[in-house]
């Protein structure tokens, strides 16, 4: 992205009460997060291949935080319990499927726990995204989510809706679909409750 586009993105999110910070590497954003969050905090984790890449959950646990990450669960029942606890954590950290220069955050969820926590619950939300998640408009953000993120996430999770074979959304009603809930964040009533940490690397779906 050029400098003017980054300035536009920052301006458009800031006027919607969403903070934006830029980082050169995933390691630098990880270090910043580990210094930012007070040690007595509870931290919820929304599944993200970007966060997995930097082993954020294990680093938070090693430092002494109480962490609610469904990937640590032994079975589906425990996973559901952990996801509910994450909804009331002090901090929530996740990724995003797409953000737009015009100031929107777009995600699609399978069960809805991630988009629920982003919208309401945790006191602070950090969304970490690679530069490949940035598009120019809301329309293109939705297209990216449906036609890039969803097929790749379905395949990663072991589901096989039509988009996995077709590499595009066909608005299916398959029991295997992972795109059950579409969320568009267009602003926040609480200033800087949501922070976007944008990394100058390609990462995630």
């Amino acid at each position: 992205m050029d400098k003017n586009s980054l300035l536009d993105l920052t301006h458009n999110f800031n006027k919607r009460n969403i903070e934006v910070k830029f980082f050169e590497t995933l390691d630098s954003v990880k270090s910043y997060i580990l210094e930012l969050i007070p040690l007595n905090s509870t931290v919820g984790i929304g599944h993200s291949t970007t966060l997995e890449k930097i082993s954020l959950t294990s680093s938070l646990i090693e430092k002494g935080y109480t962490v609610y990450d469904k990937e640590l669960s032994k079975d589906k029942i425990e996973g559901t319990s952990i996801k509910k606890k994450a909804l009331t954590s002090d901090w929530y950290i996740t990724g995003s499927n797409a953000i737009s220069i015009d100031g929107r955050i777009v995600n699609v969820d399978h069960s809805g726990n991630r988009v629920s926590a982003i919208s309401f619950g945790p006191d602070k939300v950090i969304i970490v995204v690679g530069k490949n998640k940035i598009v120019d408009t809301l329309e293109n953000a939705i297209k990216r989510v449906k036609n890039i993120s969803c097929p790749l996430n379905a395949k990663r999770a072991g589901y096989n809706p039509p988009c996995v074979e077709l590499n595009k959304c066909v608005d299916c009603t398959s029991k295997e679909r992972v795109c059950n809930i579409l969320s568009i964040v267009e602003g926040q009533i609480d200033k800087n409750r949501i922070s976007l940490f944008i990394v100058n690397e390609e990462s995630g779906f």
Side-chain angles (χ1 to χ4, degrees), residues 17 29 33 39 44 68 73 79 84 102 130 144 149 166 185 197 203:
N17 285 337
V29 77
I33 289 170
L39 278 174
Y68 302 122
S73 63
K84 289 180 178 179
D102 59 9
R144 184 189 194 283
S149 303
L166 299 172
V185 176
F197 289 1
S203 184

Side-chain angles (χ1 to χ4, degrees), residues 10 17 21 28 40 53 55 60 68 79 91 101 104 114 122 128 139 143 145 162 166 172 175 180 188-189 195:
T10 301
N17 285 337
K21 289 186 180 295
S28 63
N40 60 346
K53 190 174 182 180
S55 303
L60 288 166
Y68 302 122
W91 292 72
I101 293 173
R104 276 76 168 209
R114 181 176 61 127
V128 182
E139 180 182 7
K143 286 180 179 177
V145 168
L166 299 172
C172 75
K175 292 180 180 179
N180 290 317
Q188 276 286 283
I189 190 170
S195 296

Side-chain angles (χ1 to χ4, degrees), residues 21-203:
K21 289 186 180 295
F22 295 96
F23 299 83
E24 280 301 312
T25 65
L26 286 170
D27 285 339
S28 63
V29 77
K30 177 182 177 179
S31 297
Y32 185 83
I33 289 170
L34 291 173
E35 291 298 320
L36 175 66
I37 300 176
L39 278 174
N40 60 346
S41 301
T42 56
V43 183
I45 300 291
H47 186 267
S48 161
T49 54
T50 296
L51 300 184
E52 282 186 350
K53 190 174 182 180
I54 57 175
S55 303
L56 184 63
T57 292
S58 59
S59 295
L60 288 166
I61 292 170
E62 287 171 10
K63 200 170 178 183
Y65 296 98
T66 299
V67 180
Y68 302 122
D69 183 346
K70 71 180 180 68
E71 298 302 312
L72 301 174
S73 63
K74 298 187 293 291
D75 52 42
K76 188 173 181 179
I77 293 174
E78 186 182 18
T80 298
S81 175
I82 290 172
K83 286 190 285 187
K84 289 180 178 179
K85 289 177 181 177
L87 293 176
T88 56
S89 58
D90 300 318
W91 292 72
Y92 191 80
I93 310 172
T94 188
S96 180
N97 300 125
I99 63 170
S100 60
I101 293 173
D102 59 9
R104 276 76 168 209
I105 303 168
V106 181
N107 290 293
V108 164
D109 262 13
H110 187 202
S111 65
N113 64 295
R114 181 176 61 127
V115 297
S116 296
I118 291 172
S119 299
F120 182 81
D123 296 330
K124 291 284 189 178
V125 175
I126 296 171
I127 298 175
V128 182
V129 295
K131 63 182 181 179
N132 53 308
K133 304 291 187 69
I134 303 171
V135 297
D136 51 355
T137 64
L138 172 61
E139 180 182 7
N140 285 331
I142 294 172
K143 286 180 179 177
R144 184 189 194 283
V145 168
K146 288 181 174 289
N147 297 297
I148 297 176
S149 303
C150 288
L152 290 172
N153 275 315
K155 186 175 182 179
R156 172 196 57 77
Y159 293 97
N160 191 36
C163 65
V164 171
E165 286 290 325
L166 299 172
N167 290 315
K168 66 177 182 178
C169 178
V170 292
D171 193 25
C172 75
T173 55
S174 168
K175 292 180 180 179
E176 297 275 291
R177 69 177 286 161
V178 298
C179 51
N180 290 317
I181 302 169
L182 175 68
S183 166
I184 303 170
V185 176
E186 304 210 53
Q188 276 286 283
I189 190 170
D190 298 322
K191 185 175 177 61
N192 295 341
R193 174 184 170 267
I194 294 178
S195 296
L196 271 178
F197 289 1
I198 300 173
V199 185
N200 191 28
E201 295 182 11
E202 294 198 1
S203 184

